[in-house]
Amino acid sequence: SGIRKLSYTHYQVQEILRHLKNMVAKLNNRQLIEASVYDAMLDAAKHGIVEFIEAMREANHELLWALDSHKRGVFSYAVLNRKQDVFQLIHTVNGRRDIIKSRKDRFGNNLLHLAGHLGPSSELSQTPGAALQMQREYKWFEVIHLFFLFTYIHFHITCAMY
């Protein structure tokens, strides 16, 4: 049946991820670069493949800090490509204020700037009508902005307590 086939496919994917995770855990930084694991992390962020990102992060936490030639990382790719599930991983990261506040790409953009960019055309084409597309873009920008605001307020409250 279709459900059984889907379940088996999910099982196979989990086994492949487990195997990859075990292999990646044994690699040094040079080997990770040669094996394009950093590039795979960015690709996974671009396409919203949270399971891969989590598995690789468990294998080597440094992989979460993969950068492309424009100094854009996993969270930048998540914002640019509107991959909310990937972006939400930021809540599990120590030092997330640093990522949000001071991390900038080669062009001087932080995550809030990137959220203001128009989303990818593939995402926009899923929403019919220009007004609905604009509404969706505005909501995404609003979510990122509220996250920034929450983090900023939380940081200042925490500092005031000490």
Side-chain angles (χ1 to χ4, degrees):
S1 79
I3 293 174
R4 188 176 310 166
K5 187 175 182 180
L6 189 61
S7 179
Y8 183 68
T9 301
H10 180 74
Y11 169 77
Q12 287 177 314
V13 168
Q14 293 302 315
E15 284 299 303
I16 291 168
L17 276 176
R18 187 180 59 74
H19 182 68
L20 276 173
K21 186 170 96 172
N22 291 337
M23 289 175 54
V24 165
K26 298 173 186 173
L27 301 177
N28 64 36
N29 192 49
R30 183 184 56 77
Q31 292 168 322
L32 290 169
I33 293 168
E34 289 174 2
S36 299
V37 180
Y38 288 103
D39 294 335
M41 288 291 285
L42 298 174
D43 233 20
K46 179 179 180 180
H47 297 290
I49 308 171
V50 176
E51 297 83 3
F52 179 84
I53 294 169
E54 287 179 327
M56 295 304 102
R57 181 180 68 168
E58 287 174 19
N60 182 335
H61 194 276
E62 292 301 312
L63 290 172
L64 199 55
W65 309 117
L67 295 175
D68 69 6
S69 61
H70 299 297
K71 295 175 78 177
R72 291 181 176 164
V74 168
F75 298 113
S76 298
Y77 273 71
V79 168
L80 282 169
N81 293 283
R82 309 306 196 248
K83 301 302 180 189
Q84 188 172 351
D85 291 345
V86 174
F87 182 75
Q88 287 181 346
L89 291 175
I90 203 167
H91 294 293
T92 66
V93 175
N94 290 334
R96 66 177 175 252
R97 282 188 295 271
D98 175 52
I99 298 167
I100 293 165
K101 224 173 130 185
S102 58
R103 292 254 171 127
K104 294 184 178 174
D105 67 12
R106 199 175 112 200
F107 309 105
N109 297 313
N110 64 23
L111 290 180
L112 189 56
H113 295 126
L114 296 177
H117 288 219
L118 191 61
S121 59
S122 62
E123 290 289 320
L124 292 174
S125 65
Q126 293 177 4
T127 308
L132 289 176
Q133 290 174 3
M134 187 180 292
Q135 182 181 23
R136 183 175 180 195
E137 286 296 305
Y138 178 75
K139 283 184 184 247
W140 174 253
F141 180 80
E142 203 172 49
V143 165
I144 300 298
H145 187 261
L146 287 173
F147 180 77
F148 268 77
L149 187 59
F150 171 78
T151 303
Y152 177 80
I153 291 169
H154 178 75
F155 173 73
H156 283 83
I157 289 171
T158 304
C159 288
M161 293 173 72
Y162 295 101

